[in-house]
Amino acid sequence: MLILMLASVYLNGVNVDGLRSQKFDKCKAVRIDDRGDIHLECPGYQAERQAAVPASTLSPAPLIPSAVAAAMTKRYWLVTEEQEGAAAQYDVDVFLNAKFIRRIKAGEPQVVLEITRFLHPGANKVRFAASKRLDGVRKSSSPASFLKLVVGEGNEGGNTVTIDNPLIESKRTAAETDNVNEEFTLQGR
């Protein structure tokens, strides 16, 4: 069982955990509280929580990501683990059902990402495209230096994520030098 801590991000007091691909210029203050939550004070920006859309207004096709997540009975997470910092020197592009989700960079802090909204019931394709980033010098050649990605079923409670059922594991070590593409099939339920 894998237990991880989750932090939330707040923009001017509004939780924006699901926000992606945004840049905030001229923030007045950034504060990290005792739970690890990040609070951004950025005058000129406004964040609002969208109200739930009544089911009667949804068209039957195609399914929107939130409708797909609602159809799933399990929650799925992508979690990274790195040993010896960035010594493995691998960046990994993550694709779910042929859609680019994000790049995991060597040396970045642990990633804990809920991926349920990108999945659907039944067979899903998960692809990891790992690229060795030597940057002129090799930091290590030890198999003990690694970057590991785990995808599994789990839940969050409070400030932690627990992976109850690991389904996919990919590990790149500093001993490797080749770029590697791995594809897995995950049965969403």
Side-chain angles (χ1 to χ4, degrees):
M1 179 183 298
L2 185 60
I3 299 178
L4 308 161
M5 300 301 288
L6 276 186
S8 289
V9 179
Y10 295 87
L11 174 63
N12 297 331
V14 177
N15 183 302
V16 292
D17 284 347
L19 193 61
R20 300 287 183 263
S21 300
Q22 297 294 312
K23 180 179 178 183
F24 299 102
D25 296 316
K26 302 176 186 168
C27 285
K28 186 170 89 174
V30 176
R31 178 177 58 87
I32 302 173
D33 66 19
D34 57 343
R35 287 180 15 116
D37 293 339
I38 300 167
H39 299 267
L40 305 171
E41 292 179 34
C42 304
Y45 291 96
Q46 181 177 348
E48 297 177 359
R49 277 279 180 213
Q50 286 187 324
V53 177
S56 62
T57 64
L58 294 176
S59 78
L63 289 176
I64 58 174
S66 60
V68 171
M72 303 285 278
T73 60
K74 300 289 183 183
R75 293 177 71 188
Y76 295 87
W77 300 85
L78 167 67
V79 178
T80 64
E81 178 185 345
E82 222 172 8
Q83 187 65 34
E84 296 184 23
Q89 294 179 278
Y90 271 99
D91 290 348
V92 181
D93 289 340
V94 178
F95 297 86
L96 297 174
N97 295 317
K99 180 180 179 185
F100 175 75
I101 303 304
R102 74 160 291 170
R103 173 171 287 156
I104 309 295
K105 293 185 177 183
E108 80 174 290
Q110 182 179 39
V111 173
V112 179
L113 177 66
E114 184 174 5
I115 59 172
T116 309
R117 68 182 178 270
F118 302 109
L119 304 174
H120 53 79
N124 293 271
K125 294 293 181 189
V126 177
R127 186 165 63 93
F128 298 136
S131 302
K132 188 74 167 186
R133 300 285 179 228
L134 293 176
D135 300 323
V137 65
R138 197 164 173 188
K139 295 180 181 177
S140 171
S141 59
S142 170
S145 301
F146 64 84
L147 170 63
K148 180 166 52 171
L149 288 79
V150 176
V151 174
E153 296 173 350
N155 289 294
E156 70 177 314
N159 207 24
T160 62
V161 168
T162 303
I163 303 291
D164 301 314
N165 185 15
L167 301 169
I168 296 171
E169 182 177 306
S170 175
K171 186 176 182 181
R172 302 275 60 91
T173 73
E176 300 172 79
T177 57
D178 294 333
N179 295 339
V180 180
N181 283 306
E182 296 178 290
E183 187 166 284
F184 305 90
T185 300
L186 180 147
Q187 291 297 320
R189 48 193 188 121

